[in-house]
Amino acid sequence: MTTPQNQSSQPPPINGRFVLEPMPEDSSLAAIIEALLKDPGRLVHELQNRRRALLATLLLLFALFGMVTYGVAVGSFSGGPQMWIAPVKIGLGTLLSTLICLPSLYIFACLGGIDARLRTIAGTLFAAMGLTALLLIGFAPVAWIFSQSTDSVAFMSALHIGLWAIGIAFGLRLIVAMGRMLGDSAGSHLKLWGFIFVIVCLQMMTTLRPILGTSNRFLPSEKKFFPTHWFETVTGKNQEDRKIGTPD
């Protein structure tokens, strides 16, 4: 019995959704979004092999658009100026968190044995954020109905964090899948990076507070660690993030 001499060294696919294969040449934005949901392996293939910088840019722009759109639902809780302040802060926080953590993602990927270009890593991160944004857009009607039926900042904060956690879990899953497709050895590295990324995002949104409630300042004057801010919100001690009125 002879052994084939031309077997591919490419790691086996995780499942049908994570297969490295090309996309059609004339892929539209709708096709890119469909691939993000159904065949993300195609996006990774395009980013790695076809030098499509435009694809990475489109993924980032879509992620920001989705986050800003969800921000409208967040702002509807307080209404008024928060209808534009919340979307701006959420979009800005998403962009800053992504750019801050991109260098460390590339380093972790290289240390994990992934043979990927920087544009592949960046594009996959943008795709992960796009997938998170897409899920949040789907959750927006749920968030809106609760925002119109309760005045509890603590409850709405928990709801938005919970919905965001679901979205970011799927986004980080895409990044780990990219590592397995290209290296098959970076799972622990990328999971550790994912934990760091979540912490950065939570702290970034605390830095840009208030997003859900109202304040007489666009940005806070006091520094806070996000667990402290969350505890004060839950216990009702937080005076700078509330729906009605302004801080003393």
Side-chain angles (χ1 to χ4, degrees):
M1 182 176 179
T2 60
T3 302
Q5 299 297 319
N6 58 347
Q7 287 184 343
S8 172
S9 59
Q10 178 179 306
I14 302 173
N15 57 44
R17 299 180 64 249
F18 298 107
V19 178
L20 287 171
E21 58 184 14
M23 292 181 64
E25 292 291 340
D26 58 345
S27 297
S28 61
L29 179 59
I32 292 174
I33 295 175
E34 184 176 4
L36 190 61
L37 288 171
K38 299 179 180 180
D39 302 294
R42 292 186 174 185
L43 298 176
V44 176
H45 179 277
E46 296 298 308
L47 293 165
Q48 177 73 351
N49 298 310
R50 295 199 177 184
R51 301 180 181 273
R52 293 177 62 174
L54 177 60
L55 176 58
T57 303
L58 288 175
L59 289 169
L60 176 59
L61 292 177
F62 175 75
L64 295 178
F65 171 78
M67 291 296 184
V68 169
T69 301
Y70 183 73
V72 175
V74 176
S76 67
F77 174 69
S78 295
Q82 289 300 116
M83 291 294 293
W84 68 267
I85 292 176
V88 168
K89 287 186 175 182
I90 290 176
L92 179 61
T94 299
L95 178 61
L96 291 177
S97 299
T98 300
L99 296 180
I100 287 171
C101 293
L102 176 58
S104 59
L105 175 59
Y106 180 69
I107 293 171
F108 273 58
C110 291
L111 292 176
I114 298 177
D115 183 19
R117 299 176 176 86
L118 177 59
R119 72 166 182 275
T120 305
I121 301 298
T124 303
L125 176 56
F126 300 158
M129 297 312 298
L131 181 57
T132 301
L134 197 59
L135 286 166
L136 288 177
I137 291 174
F139 288 141
V142 177
W144 178 82
I145 193 64
F146 279 101
S147 70
Q148 303 305 304
S149 58
T150 180
D151 287 332
S152 173
V153 174
F155 172 79
M156 290 304 300
S157 298
L159 176 66
H160 286 300
I161 290 178
L163 296 179
W164 177 82
I166 295 172
I168 202 66
F170 279 92
L172 294 178
R173 179 171 175 262
L174 174 57
I175 293 177
V176 173
M178 176 273 297
R180 294 178 180 174
M181 284 187 283
L182 299 179
D184 200 30
S185 60
S188 58
H189 292 73
L190 296 182
K191 289 177 181 178
L192 175 59
W193 176 88
F195 174 77
I196 296 172
F197 180 69
V198 169
I199 297 298
V200 169
C201 289
L202 292 173
Q203 186 60 38
M204 181 62 68
M205 292 307 174
T206 301
T207 302
L208 296 176
R209 70 186 188 278
I211 295 176
L212 187 62
T214 59
S215 175
N216 58 358
R217 293 188 178 95
F218 184 76
L219 292 175
S221 58
E222 181 184 2
K223 297 180 180 179
K224 282 185 181 179
F225 189 33
F226 73 89
T228 301
H229 175 64
W230 173 248
F231 175 77
E232 292 178 351
T233 300
V234 170
T235 58
K237 297 179 180 179
N238 191 356
Q239 296 298 313
E240 66 176 356
D241 189 5
R242 55 188 181 181
K243 182 175 180 181
I244 301 174
T246 56
D248 296 333

